[in-house]
Amino acid sequence: MAQTVFHAYIGYNLKKILPKERFYTPSIIFGALLPDIDKLFVLIGSLYFPLSISKKLFQSTFSHSFFTLLIIY
């Protein structure tokens, strides 16, 4: 979780060195946080399964794959 906040912080501070475009900062923050969306699925899955099983099912699976990157971009 601390890495997620760190990624957002880095993305937010990149606006100081990037050109003054309107959508750069939100895009960088969204791109930095998107792979960690699986933590939300683990949380939802823990409502229906034990936490250990929910982590095995959802953590670092589809959102950390190259194919998900291709689909998004």
Side-chain angles (χ1 to χ4, degrees), residues 16-49:
K16 295 175 186 174
I17 60 172
L18 292 174
K20 300 290 183 200
E21 293 293 327
R22 184 176 175 187
F23 296 109
Y24 276 168
T25 303
S27 298
I28 291 171
I29 293 173
F30 180 72
L33 296 176
L34 188 64
D36 294 327
I37 193 112
D38 61 348
K39 292 181 183 5
L40 177 66
F41 293 118
V42 169
L43 178 66
I44 293 170
S46 69
L47 297 173
Y48 301 103
F49 305 108

